Amino acid sequence: YPEFDLPEYKGIKVSKKNVEVSEDEVNALVNALVSQNLKPVTKEEQVIEKMDYAVFDFLGTVDGVPFEGGAAENYEMQIGSGQFIPGFEDQMIGMKKDEVKDVKVTFPENYTEELKGKDAVFKVTVHEVKVMPKLELNDEFTKSLNIENVNTVSELKEAKRQELLAKKEQDETSRQIDQIIETILSNTKVDVPESLILAGVNSFKAQYENQAKMYGIPFETFLQMMGVDLERFNQIAYANAYKQVLFTLVGSKIIEVEKLAPTQEDIYNIALNEANKTNTDVNEILKRDSEQIYSFLSQQRLIMFLLENKVEY
């Protein structure tokens, strides 16, 4: 690691944003929760209208020959949601329970190579028509959610308010941390070893190469899906690695100067807690995870130190 002088890292000025939660935001969360717990129910009049849910069988053929992926039984779909080939769902509107109908469509040009632009016929058999019920938000519904200490609508709204407030406060803390670190790093003068940067580039690149392998596609194709070419990716990787190495250099020195490094006892206590949770021998965890625990505690203490010594405006 190179020798360098630390810039000023105490009393860093950071902007302060008031964290507030509006009534509309609370209602949006509650309404989303209600929607998640709604399920379509059998419609009294078993005739499909737009946005109804239909349970049906279908068998698709091209020139009288079934094709792969063109058949299903008891398939449920909201009619009008646009999930199927253009024109398919429109032709189902007006169908009744137990009705059988040939739905004729043309596959779009951007479909699979085998089917694009071809005419197809789907034999559709409707089994049931459903509709989404209107669920009233009341205390009875609230109790059915089984949320601890939440039994009324007002308690539910307050719980969601606190949940959203906690997230916004965490986001604001993260924003301040980023601002503090950016200020410190921009004022740091040090020759960062190229070897450390390249090691970071290789690590960064390996993460995305592994993702490409998981999807079973070439790395260059994966980059195209991300909207970047190899040259731009390498630029991003280098900038990311440089910043990470610079933060490691500066952070390590602040930890050393301010004596923030965890002790062996600190590391042991974390390992013991994990051992008790997982019913694992503490020495096994220490042997395997000591470095990670040290790094985690060091970073945690560094962040807390910087936040405690900031100046808000």
Side-chain angles (χ1 to χ4, degrees):
Y1 281 11
E3 290 295 326
F4 64 97
D5 294 325
L6 281 171
E8 185 58 57
Y9 56 85
K10 294 180 184 178
I12 300 294
K13 293 182 179 180
V14 293
S15 57
K16 180 181 179 180
K17 293 184 179 180
N18 292 326
V19 176
E20 298 177 346
V21 176
S22 70
E23 199 65 32
D24 287 343
E25 289 175 314
V26 173
N27 289 334
L29 274 181
V30 172
N31 290 337
L33 186 61
V34 172
S35 298
Q36 291 169 12
N37 285 273
L38 282 179
K39 294 181 180 179
V41 296
T42 301
K43 188 179 180 182
E44 184 174 344
E45 186 180 353
Q46 290 285 286
V47 180
I48 298 175
E49 295 180 88
K50 190 171 184 180
M51 304 315 289
D52 284 346
Y53 291 80
V55 180
F56 60 99
D57 300 342
F58 63 86
L59 174 62
T61 58
V62 173
D63 297 328
V65 180
F67 54 88
E68 186 178 355
E73 294 182 352
N74 293 313
Y75 190 88
E76 183 172 325
M77 179 178 68
Q78 186 176 29
I79 305 303
S81 59
Q83 296 181 45
F84 268 30
I85 306 159
F88 186 103
E89 295 170 43
D90 290 339
Q91 294 178 60
M92 288 188 66
I93 293 175
M95 289 186 69
K96 302 177 182 179
K97 179 182 178 181
D98 298 327
E99 183 178 347
V100 180
K101 180 179 180 179
D102 285 345
V103 173
K104 299 177 182 179
V105 296
T106 300
F107 285 102
E109 291 298 329
N110 62 351
Y111 213 71
T112 61
E113 191 66 32
E114 299 80 9
L115 296 172
K116 65 179 183 180
K118 292 186 177 181
D119 295 330
V121 178
F122 286 85
K123 184 175 289 296
V124 175
T125 304
V126 176
H127 295 305
E128 186 180 8
V129 183
K130 298 181 178 182
V131 67
M132 191 65 76
K134 292 181 179 179
L135 182 60
E136 182 182 353
L137 178 60
N138 51 35
D139 292 350
E140 183 180 356
F141 169 75
T142 302
K143 289 177 183 177
S144 72
L145 297 174
N146 294 320
I147 302 175
E148 188 175 0
N149 297 324
V150 173
N151 297 299
T152 65
V153 173
S154 60
E155 288 174 347
L156 176 61
K157 288 188 174 183
E158 182 57 27
K160 288 301 169 183
R161 183 187 303 279
Q162 294 303 321
E163 179 182 310
L164 187 55
L165 182 63
K167 184 181 184 307
K168 284 192 170 188
E169 287 175 342
Q170 180 58 52
D171 290 343
E172 170 60 10
T173 299
S174 297
R175 187 195 65 79
Q176 288 196 353
I177 291 170
D178 290 342
Q179 188 177 342
I180 292 169
I181 291 174
E182 194 64 40
T183 300
I184 294 173
L185 296 187
S186 64
N187 292 327
T188 301
K189 294 179 174 58
V190 57
D191 291 326
V192 180
E194 189 72 10
S195 59
L196 293 179
I197 300 174
L198 293 179
V201 168
N202 292 334
S203 177
F204 184 84
K205 187 175 181 180
Q207 293 178 29
Y208 287 89
E209 287 176 335
N210 289 333
Q211 288 187 46
K213 288 178 182 177
M214 286 174 58
Y215 287 112
I217 57 177
F219 181 57
E220 289 74 12
T221 304
F222 186 71
L223 293 183
Q224 290 175 5
M225 293 170 61
M226 292 171 57
V228 297
D229 57 20
L230 185 59
E231 181 180 359
R232 178 57 183 152
F233 176 83
N234 286 333
Q235 292 172 349
I236 294 171
Y238 190 92
N240 181 282
Y242 174 84
K243 188 173 181 179
Q244 186 60 49
V245 171
L246 183 58
F247 175 69
T248 299
L249 293 173
V250 174
S252 297
K253 197 158 188 176
I254 294 175
I255 290 169
E256 179 185 351
V257 171
E258 298 295 337
K259 298 179 173 54
L260 302 175
T263 64
Q264 288 298 320
E265 183 180 1
D266 295 329
I267 295 171
Y268 178 84
N269 288 335
I270 293 290
L272 182 60
N273 185 51
E274 182 64 23
N276 291 334
K277 282 183 182 178
T278 59
N279 196 26
T280 309
D281 182 77
V282 65
N283 292 316
E284 182 179 328
I285 293 177
L286 286 170
K287 183 178 180 181
R288 184 189 65 208
D289 298 334
S290 284
E291 288 186 13
Q292 291 91 325
I293 296 173
Y294 178 90
S295 177
F296 169 76
L297 289 177
S298 297
Q299 294 293 316
Q300 192 178 53
R301 292 179 177 185
L302 172 63
I303 295 302
M304 289 302 300
F305 176 85
L306 295 176
L307 285 172
E308 289 168 357
N309 287 276
K310 71 181 186 296
V311 175
E312 292 182 337
Y313 67 91

